[in-house]
């Protein structure tokens, strides 16, 4: 299944994508794609529904983040061999963990705001894992049982905050709008090979990132199991698993996002994200004037 959350920010309702690509409302069946709504029992019940029996959503409906109730938003650093090479970093012996603030999560096509004072905001197309059941000290051979599905994440990163301001990477990773998720939450039965998904990111129509999960150092099952040994994962938690080469930081000279840039992210089977970038001051001016911000 391809599951969605639709509606105004903060008021999203659950839905699904039917076989023809139509968006259907699930709010009469399910409270939200969060917590118990992500359990195996809940997903199995949704899979038995006839999508044609569900209300069709109007064209232009906003898609919010494809999961709600996220308490832990964990990220894996330097998890692609070719991305580690472009940054000059050694291959990690164990997964590198850092946190993104759950408050940075937005919809797949929502506007990305450059933080106040930002000069080095970067892009990162990533495969994200959504947890469907409480996971603690699980083994890799059983880890996928705890996964509700996968989605695209743009792990936006302010590199000056991350690397030049001291302390941990978290400073540059959790700014508002730095975690677009979706457009869909795709259940594992629709993804035949987790280790061979093509990934890409275009900036203003120019290809920046081209990669595949084939070059991941630690795969999805290994990552879920590893993280579960350091924290208890709950339904709705998200782990974003690293990015392939082509980030702005790795270019010579480096290239970073500017106001009015547009990013398009794709992962095979998981859909497409499209985000317009706006500077902090321009955003606040629009808000003050009551203008549309998406």
């Amino acid at each position: 299944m391809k599951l969605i959350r639709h509606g105004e920010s903060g008021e999203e309702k659950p839905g699904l994508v039917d076989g023809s690509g139509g968006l259907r409302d699930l709010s009469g069946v399910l409270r939200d794609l969060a917590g118990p709504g992500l359990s195996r029992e809940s997903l199995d019940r949704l899979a038995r529904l006839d999508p044609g029996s569900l209300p069709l959503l109007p064209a232009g409906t906003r898609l919010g983040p494809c999961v709600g109730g996220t308490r832990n938003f964990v990220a894996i650093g330097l998890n692609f061999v070719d991305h580690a090479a472009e940054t000059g970093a050694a291959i990690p012996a164990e997964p590198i963990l850092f946190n993104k603030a759950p408050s940075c999560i937005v919809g797949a096509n929502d506007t990305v705001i450059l933080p106040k004072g930002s000069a080095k905001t970067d892009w990162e197309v990533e495969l994200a894992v959504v947890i469907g059941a409480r996971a603690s000290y699980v083994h890799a051979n059983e880890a996928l049982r705890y996964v509700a599905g996968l989605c695209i994440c743009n792990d936006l990163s302010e590199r000056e905050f991350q690397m030049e301001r001291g302390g941990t990477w978290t400073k540059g990773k959790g700014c508002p709008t730095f975690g677009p998720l979706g457009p869909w939450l795709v259940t594992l039965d629709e993804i035949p090979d987790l280790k061979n998904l093509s990934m890409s990111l275009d900036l203003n129509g120019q290809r920046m990132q081209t990669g595949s999960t084939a070059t991941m150092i630690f795969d999805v099952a290994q990552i879920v199991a590893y993280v579960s040994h350091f924290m208890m994962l709950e339904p709705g938690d998200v782990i974003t698993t690293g990015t392939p080469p082509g980030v702005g930081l790795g270019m010579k000279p480096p290239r970073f996002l500017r106001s009015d840039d547009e990013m398009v992210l794709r992962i095979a089977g998981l859909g497409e994200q499209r985000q317009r970038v706006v500077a902090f001051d321009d955003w606040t001016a629009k808000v003050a004037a009551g203008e549309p911000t998406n």
Side-chain angles (χ1 to χ4, degrees):
M1 291 181 293
K2 295 180 176 69
L3 300 167
I4 62 170
R5 295 173 72 246
H6 61 90
E8 296 299 317
S9 178
E11 300 179 3
E12 291 91 350
K13 299 177 181 179
L16 59 75
V17 183
D18 66 25
S20 300
L23 304 182
R24 302 281 178 166
D25 180 35
L26 276 172
S27 62
V29 178
L30 185 70
R31 177 176 294 181
D32 198 1
L33 285 170
L38 296 165
S39 69
R40 177 55 47 202
E41 293 76 17
S42 175
L43 296 180
D44 287 346
R45 182 164 60 96
L46 296 180
R48 293 192 293 268
L49 293 174
D50 173 14
S53 68
L54 301 169
L56 191 63
L57 295 171
T61 296
R62 172 186 176 266
L63 295 182
C66 59
V67 59
T70 301
R71 299 201 297 177
N72 291 305
F73 192 180
V74 182
I76 310 297
L78 298 174
N79 191 38
F80 282 65
V81 172
D82 34 9
H83 173 55
E86 77 171 338
T87 64
I91 302 299
E94 297 187 33
I96 296 171
L97 306 186
F98 60 90
N99 291 98
K100 290 178 72 72
S103 59
C104 81
I105 294 173
V106 292
N109 303 315
D110 287 349
T111 300
V112 166
I113 306 169
L114 298 176
K116 189 174 184 178
S118 169
K120 298 181 180 180
T121 294
D122 204 348
W123 55 85
E124 297 188 23
V125 59
E126 302 202 1
L127 175 69
V129 180
V130 176
I131 300 299
R134 177 176 288 179
S136 180
Y137 297 107
V138 304
H139 296 287
N141 62 2
E142 62 181 9
L144 295 184
R145 301 177 192 171
Y146 297 85
V147 174
L150 305 177
C151 65
I152 302 173
C153 173
N154 191 351
D155 177 22
L156 289 142
S157 311
E158 213 301 337
R159 301 300 191 186
E160 181 184 358
F161 298 177
Q162 175 189 356
M163 306 174 75
E164 301 174 32
R165 300 287 296 273
T168 68
W169 287 7
T170 299
K171 285 183 181 178
K173 294 286 190 171
C175 303
T177 74
F178 270 27
L181 296 178
W184 316 314
L185 171 61
V186 182
T187 53
L188 294 182
D189 58 294
E190 292 211 9
I191 307 169
D193 189 358
L194 293 177
K195 298 182 180 181
N196 192 29
L197 299 176
S198 62
M199 309 169 68
S200 68
L201 184 145
D202 296 345
L203 179 65
N204 301 328
Q206 180 182 358
R207 180 59 49 88
M208 295 294 164
Q209 291 188 269
T210 301
S212 168
T213 56
T215 68
M216 288 174 69
I217 299 165
F218 306 101
D219 66 25
V220 169
Q222 291 172 319
I223 288 168
V224 172
Y226 186 85
V227 175
S228 79
H229 281 68
F230 296 93
M231 66 185 71
M232 182 176 289
L233 296 168
E234 300 281 2
D237 287 351
V238 176
I239 307 173
T240 189
T241 61
T243 197
V247 299
L249 179 67
M251 296 182 175
K252 300 187 185 301
R255 178 174 176 178
F256 299 112
L257 293 170
R258 297 290 180 262
S259 191
D260 293 326
D261 282 347
E262 183 181 64
M263 295 172 283
V264 179
L265 296 77
R266 301 181 181 93
I267 298 181
L270 302 185
E272 174 184 291
Q273 295 188 353
R274 186 178 297 267
Q275 297 127 18
R276 179 72 63 176
V277 179
V278 62
F280 179 84
D281 289 344
D282 293 341
W283 172 269
T284 54
K286 285 185 176 182
V287 171
E291 298 177 13
T293 53
N294 276 322

